[in-house]
């Protein structure tokens, strides 16, 4: 038996111990400092050494022979030595730039490739593309696109600044909140992961404290499991949160429970919103009876909840899932209006919070430290698209579209360069994306595994995993600082993204601009030295690079209630001295800016707009609402190759109410076909009484198949609708989809 070594590393789902023996990873164990470690790391050894690893550079046969595009996803590959593959790629990049300009290159790299600060695929790709003249980029994320567009109009601040730096911590919530109203829940499963890592998983533990204190915790949504055990559950028809919020606001207004002093001093536009609530503008008062017909929540329950919220210190939280739906800007806007009517914005334990439970680290009182970011340079190309509109862009070059008040035109993309992500996991209507993916002349991908995206590329470079290279891990949501060791050698001929781009940069004449004369370790030392200096200026000492490498990890003294933030507390104390960044300097319940855009799908104040697909519209061919939550066993589709092994691992489970199943002759655990006009997938029925009747849930994460026939493993994005949330946000509307479920017919 060879040498056995165990060291700690970190990831987007937190820290863990990896054990290596004879050059292979043989085990993963929880990190001792984590009170609730996730199970995700157990799949890492199997994934790192999986047969679906890309062994060496590969060029798609049809592209190499004739620049064919139709064979993407169905063609074979020719393995080539690195130098030859790099020569082909650099020649193609140079050709596209010369013939069509850098505005014809889409530099996507949307993904969670690594928690490491240097070997982050997004930053590496964008630095490289900026060195060669720029690229078409993107705005927003699939998780928060609509929120990133609407929140600045409401509060005058960037959405992520509000979410990551301003939300009050769990400590203050435990001390001051009396009623916690969670639209979409707060799911500990989702808080397993975080950008850059989440070492201590504490969400479930805080809810145990809330229960012991007697706090009312109410989960409003279609599934009981979207909040920890012990929370009350108010079932709600998916996509109708805005209607419920409007009815709650109607009760506050008509019963004299709204805080008029707060509304008058700190907001603008309540008069317009009030007129809409009372039906003065559209003839439809937003009464509890009106909302009951839409939401499925009894009118008397709506009245009682509104009164309880007004009589207690109430914190309203909104899950990211609510804005990942058609007209997803509206519940985020109306939740802010409801919090303003309660008058507790800026007070401890009250107000509004977006994203508690969406990722780990939110709710931790922590001192932010800057640095450890690879400089990307300046992008000379100003064009961009909302991130979820990639299929629209590829299918409709030159077509006009609207986004957040701007009239834009889709660029004509000839080359797609993607690394660090898997769009054939997270995009909607994957058959449509499959069609769009055939439009560019060339697709280049870096990937460790033969994912659906790699299998649809023309040039494929095998990339290392985080366990085959050294890096530094940290995030501003976590006090831990990690040296991430290279646990095993690169598998096959894999190289890290930096090495690949450095080789391409040399061939394109920009090696010095890209590398600045440093290798990977040189960059790590350079970035870490800058971080140490900035941390020291904030009064925080950190070990030098070699000491951190030896110690493996340290916990920095940067957490504690003394670092707590309460969003908009300074504004509440003095709205004149500390105005918001909105045009009025106040919270905008009616936005003249948005009203001026003239968008019917996002008018000037929060509005209930029935989506085209929802349970309020009869559709006998697709009568069930599909939700597609994040998986519990991985981050998005990472590590899927290892998790999919075994006879019972796939297809994925579909949660369905037993009464809905009985109507269709479906038994618990049986194979089913989930389908609509966009496609069909296989799934395995799992009975649940904790899901609203008429709703089914199938988590994302399964790799997309070959696009022919029913998807065998159960990727719900075969079924979801590829349309923007509205012309304002143009975000993903994955949670607005109707399906039917039937017994699986054997071949």
């Amino acid at each position: 038996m060879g040498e056995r070594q165990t060291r700690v590393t970190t990831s987007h789902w937190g820290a863990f111990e990896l054990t290596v023996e004879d050059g292979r990873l043989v085990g993963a164990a929880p990190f001792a400092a984590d009170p609730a470690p996730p199970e995700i790391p157990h799949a890492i050894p199997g994934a790192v050494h999986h047969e679906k690893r890309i062994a060496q550079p590969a060029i798609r046969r049809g592209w190499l022979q004739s620049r064919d595009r139709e064979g993407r996803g169905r063609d074979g590959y020719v393995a080539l030595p690195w130098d030859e593959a790099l020569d082909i790629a650099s020649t193609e990049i140079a050709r596209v730039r010369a013939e069509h300009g850098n505005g014809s290159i889409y530099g996507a790299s949307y993904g969670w490739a690594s928690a490491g600060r240097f070997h982050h695929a997004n930053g590496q790709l964008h630095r490289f593309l900026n060195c060669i003249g720029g690229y078409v980029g993107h705005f927003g994320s699939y998780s928060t696109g609509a929120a990133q567009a609407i929140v600045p109009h409401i509060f005058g601040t960037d959405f992520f600044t509000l979410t990551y730096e301003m939300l009050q911590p769990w400590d203050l919530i435990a001390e001051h909140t009396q009623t916690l109203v969670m639209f979409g829940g707060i799911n500990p499963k989702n808080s397993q992961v975080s950008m850059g890592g989440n070492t201590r998983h504490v969400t479930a533990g805080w809810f145990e404290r809330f229960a012991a204190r007697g706090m009312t915790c109410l989960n409003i949504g279609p599934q009981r499991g979207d909040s920890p055990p012990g929370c009350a559950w108010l079932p709600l028809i998916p996509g109708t949160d805005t209607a419920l919020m409007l009815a709650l606001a109607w009760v506050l207004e008509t019963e004299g429970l709204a805080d008029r002093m707060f509304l008058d001093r700190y907001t603008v536009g309540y008069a317009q919103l009030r007129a809409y609530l009372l039906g003065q503008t559209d003839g439809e008062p937003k009464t509890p009876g009106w909302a009951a017909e839409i939401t499925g929540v009894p009118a008397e329950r709506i009245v009682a909840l509104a009164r309880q919220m007004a009589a207690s210190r109430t914190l309203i939280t909104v899950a990211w899932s609510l804005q990942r739906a058609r007209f997803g800007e509206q519940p985020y806007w109306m939740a802010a209006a409801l919090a303003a009517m309660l008058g507790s914005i800026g007070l401890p334990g009250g107000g509004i919070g977006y994203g508690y439970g969406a990722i780990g680290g939110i709710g931790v009182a922590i001192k932010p430290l800057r640095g450890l970011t690879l400089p990307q340079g300046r992008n000379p190309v100003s064009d961009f698209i909302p991130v979820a509109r990639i299929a629209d862009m590829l299918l409709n070059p030159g077509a006009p579209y609207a986004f957040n008040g701007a009239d834009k035109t889709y660029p004509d993309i000839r080359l797609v360069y993607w690394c660090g992500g898997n769009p054939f996991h997270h995009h909607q209507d994957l058959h449509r994306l499959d069609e769009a993916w055939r439009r560019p002349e060339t697709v280049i991908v870096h990937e460790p595994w033969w994912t659906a995206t790699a299998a649809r590329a023309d040039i494929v470079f095998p990339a290392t995993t985080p366990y085959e290279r050294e890096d530094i891990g940290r995030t501003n949501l976590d006090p831990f600082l990690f040296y991430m060791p290279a646990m095993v050698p690169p598998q096959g001929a894999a190289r890290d993204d930096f090495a690949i781009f450095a080789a391409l940069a040399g061939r394109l004449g920009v090696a010095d601009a890209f590398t600045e004369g440093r290798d990977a370790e040189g960059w790590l030392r350079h970035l870490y030295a800058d971080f140490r200096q900035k941390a020291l200026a904030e009064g925080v000492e950190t070990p030098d690079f070699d000491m951190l490498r030896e110690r493996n990890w340290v916990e920095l003294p940067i957490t504690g209630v003394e670092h707590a933030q309460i969003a908009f507390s300074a504004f509440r104390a003095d709205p004149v001295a500390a105005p918001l960044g909105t045009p009025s300097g106040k919270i905008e319940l009616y936005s003249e800016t948005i009203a001026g855009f003239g968008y019917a799908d996002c008018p000037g104040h929060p509005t209930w707009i029935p989506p085209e697909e929802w349970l309020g519209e009869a559709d006998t061919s697709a009568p069930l609402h599909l939700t597609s939550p994040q998986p519990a066993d991985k981050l998005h589709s990472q590590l899927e190759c290892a998790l999919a092994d075994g006879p019972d691992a796939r297809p994925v489970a579909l949660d369905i109410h037993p009464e809905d199943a009985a109507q269709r002759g479906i038994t618990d655990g049986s194979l089913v076909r989930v389908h609509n006009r966009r496609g069909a997938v296989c799934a395995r029925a799992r009975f649940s009484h904790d899901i609203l009747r008429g709703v089914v849930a199938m988590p994302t994460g399964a790799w997309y198949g070959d696009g022919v026939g029913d998807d065998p493993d159960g990727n719900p994005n075969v079924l979801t609708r590829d349309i923007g949330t509205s012309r304002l946000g143009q975000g993903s509307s994955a949670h607005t989809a109707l399906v039917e479920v039937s017994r699986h017919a054997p071949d």
Side-chain angles (χ1 to χ4, degrees), residues 298-582:
E300 60 273 17
R301 184 70 181 91
I302 297 173
V303 173
L305 177 58
R307 292 171 179 170
Q308 179 182 356
M309 293 169 70
S312 59
R313 179 64 60 83
T314 297
L315 173 63
I316 297 172
T317 67
V318 189
W320 287 2
S321 59
L322 268 66
Q323 51 85 60
R324 297 187 68 240
R326 191 74 164 117
F327 315 123
E329 297 84 2
Q330 301 307 312
Y332 264 49
W333 201 352
M334 190 57 216
L338 191 58
M341 293 177 71
L342 293 172
S344 60
I345 292 177
L347 295 178
I352 182 78
Y354 302 111
Y356 287 104
I359 61 171
I362 296 179
V364 175
I366 191 167
K367 179 184 183 70
L369 298 175
R370 307 300 177 189
L372 275 174
T373 301
L374 178 68
Q376 296 182 18
R378 186 184 69 85
N379 186 357
V381 176
S382 60
D383 205 0
F384 67 91
I385 63 166
V387 67
R389 303 274 56 79
I390 181 174
D392 286 352
M393 173 185 70
L394 296 178
L395 288 168
N396 305 291
Y401 72 100
F403 171 59
N404 204 2
D407 293 324
K408 295 178 62 65
T409 301
Y410 285 122
D412 187 1
I413 296 300
R414 304 303 181 99
L415 186 148
V416 172
Y417 206 135
W418 206 295
C419 58
N422 183 8
F424 282 90
H425 151 67
H426 62 242
H427 194 72
Q428 282 63 65
D429 194 349
L430 291 178
H431 291 327
R432 183 171 186 262
L433 180 62
D434 215 351
E435 176 189 355
W437 204 254
R438 303 180 198 285
R439 301 300 178 91
E441 296 172 5
T442 304
V443 177
I444 304 176
V445 166
H446 298 193
E447 251 298 334
W449 298 279
W450 283 109
T451 65
T453 302
R456 285 167 171 78
D458 303 313
I459 302 172
V460 184
F461 290 131
T464 53
T465 67
Y467 318 105
E468 300 158 49
R469 62 202 183 207
E470 66 172 350
D471 211 333
I472 297 171
R474 79 162 305 273
T475 169
N476 272 337
L477 299 177
D478 191 85
F480 285 81
L481 176 64
F482 294 92
Y483 168 74
M484 301 169 63
M487 297 295 297
V488 294
Q491 302 297 289
R495 296 182 181 180
D496 61 62
D497 296 311
F498 174 77
I500 298 170
F501 287 127
L504 288 172
R507 286 164 168 80
L508 293 168
V510 293
D512 290 342
F514 180 75
T515 68
E516 297 185 20
R518 301 184 184 95
D519 59 10
E521 181 175 340
W523 269 107
L524 283 172
R525 290 182 177 276
H526 173 73
L527 295 175
Y528 186 70
D530 176 68
F531 167 72
R532 286 193 75 208
Q533 184 177 13
K534 290 176 178 175
L536 190 60
E538 296 289 335
V540 179
E541 293 188 9
T542 59
D544 65 29
F545 183 84
D546 292 312
M547 180 62 71
L548 179 64
R549 176 185 269 170
E550 180 181 341
R551 293 177 59 178
N552 202 173
W553 61 271
V554 294
E555 182 176 5
L556 304 178
I558 56 176
T559 56
V561 180
E562 66 273 18
H563 303 300
Q565 299 286 328
I566 301 174
F568 311 114
S569 57
F571 167 69
R572 184 185 183 102
D574 191 337
V576 176
L580 302 183
T582 57

Side-chain angles (χ1 to χ4, degrees), residues 244-297:
L244 175 60
M245 295 176 192
L246 287 165
L248 292 168
W250 184 91
V251 175
L252 296 179
E253 170 60 31
T254 58
E255 294 192 2
L257 300 175
D259 189 331
R260 297 307 297 260
M261 184 281 294
F262 186 93
L263 292 168
D264 291 343
R265 189 178 188 199
Y266 298 103
T267 76
V268 296
Y270 184 65
Q272 291 92 328
L273 179 59
R274 179 180 180 276
Y276 176 68
L277 291 174
L278 299 179
Q280 295 171 356
T281 54
D282 64 354
E284 183 68 77
K286 309 309 177 291
T287 65
W290 166 84
E293 293 294 320
I294 296 170
T295 65
V297 179

